[in-house]
Amino acid sequence: MVQFAPKIFHFNRYISSEDAVEAIRADEQLNLWEPAKIEHLLAYSTKNPGEQRNCPIVGLGSIARVYSGRLLPCLHGDDAERRLGLSWCVADWNGHYRFLAVGTLASTNTG
């Protein structure tokens, strides 16, 4: 069974989706981070239900093409509720957004 380690990337500045993906993949060569898909976002929100109340978390690994635009899954919420929505892939995300990435955990089983 493949297990994944989550990591939240916060660039604290305006950043394009393409630049965010490039920064995620370049972060640590030993772990090979990849942008999270929607299934990773859902698993992360189950284990960390309060995180999306603090800031929106985007999964850059799942893109839906709608007409001439692109939509991405995004976790967000407030004190009253948590939500999963679709956000338009904008030219630049503002510094409030976080991006979930996943890396494959190395197996410790040697036999």
Side-chain angles (χ1 to χ4, degrees):
M1 177 159 88
V2 177
Q3 294 184 354
F4 295 94
K7 182 174 181 177
I8 295 289
F9 285 81
H10 178 214
F11 300 106
N12 202 27
R13 61 183 166 88
Y14 281 87
I15 189 166
S16 70
S17 295
E18 292 77 13
D19 288 346
V21 168
E22 186 177 311
I24 287 168
R25 289 186 174 148
D27 182 60
E28 292 179 39
Q29 294 301 319
L30 296 178
N31 200 336
L32 302 177
W33 295 105
E34 287 292 326
K37 295 182 179 179
I38 192 167
E39 57 266 28
H40 302 122
L41 277 176
L42 293 172
Y44 183 81
S45 71
T46 299
K47 291 183 179 180
N48 304 281
E51 290 295 314
Q52 70 197 77
R53 289 185 166 115
N54 299 323
C55 56
I57 303 170
V58 179
L60 293 169
S62 292
I63 298 174
R65 301 208 181 272
V66 178
Y67 301 111
S68 61
R70 300 179 296 165
L71 292 168
L72 298 164
C74 182
L75 299 171
H76 53 96
D78 54 30
D79 290 339
E81 63 185 5
R82 299 182 306 135
R83 295 180 292 277
L84 170 68
L86 294 173
S87 295
W88 289 104
C89 184
V90 294
D92 287 320
W93 300 94
N94 72 39
H96 188 63
Y97 283 87
R98 298 338 188 237
F99 303 90
L100 182 64
V102 293
T104 304
L105 294 175
S107 175
T108 57
N109 186 359
T110 58

